[in-house]
Amino acid sequence: MNLIKDVLENVWVKRVFWSIIVILFSLIIYHAVTKILNIKEKKTSKIINNKKNKTIIRMLKSIVAGALSIVTVLMVLQIYGVDVTSMLAGVGIAS
């Protein structure tokens, strides 16, 4: 019993646990947004076979994937104790 308690109180175990939670949460958000965009793409393709709409939806998927990747990496780095304020300033989010 004490071994389990010691393992759970270990700082590295907590960091790995929260890193996994952040990554899983980001994947869930990405899949939800992608699913919504796919539904929109199917609706617009039934009404109008417009290549512009398909291109815009693909671009939005790429933007969402990129933004979520950046946010996820910064959050995981922050969990491990890296100061991310300068990185946020470099991305243009903070001044």
Side-chain angles (χ1 to χ4, degrees):
M1 186 69 174
N2 287 334
L3 178 65
I4 295 172
K5 186 177 179 181
D6 291 340
V7 168
L8 291 176
E9 290 177 356
N10 190 348
V11 173
W12 283 102
V13 172
K14 288 181 182 179
R15 289 179 179 173
V16 169
F17 173 76
W18 284 111
S19 298
I20 292 170
I21 295 296
V22 166
I23 292 169
L24 287 175
F25 188 69
S26 296
L27 287 172
I28 290 169
I29 290 173
Y30 173 73
H31 285 292
V33 170
T34 303
K35 191 165 210 131
I36 290 169
L37 290 174
N38 285 337
I39 291 170
K40 292 290 186 186
E41 183 179 14
K42 288 178 185 176
K43 284 183 181 179
T44 57
S45 67
K46 287 181 183 177
I47 298 169
I48 303 170
N49 192 6
N50 193 352
K51 290 184 179 181
K52 186 192 282 187
N53 287 340
K54 290 180 181 180
T55 304
I56 290 172
I57 289 173
R58 286 188 201 135
M59 184 180 67
L60 285 173
K61 287 180 190 178
S62 297
I63 291 171
V64 167
L68 274 173
S69 298
I70 291 170
V71 169
T72 303
V73 168
L74 290 175
M75 288 178 74
V76 170
L77 286 173
Q78 189 174 19
I79 289 171
Y80 283 97
V82 177
D83 185 24
V84 296
T85 54
S86 61
M87 292 179 208
L88 286 173
V91 173
I93 297 173
S95 57

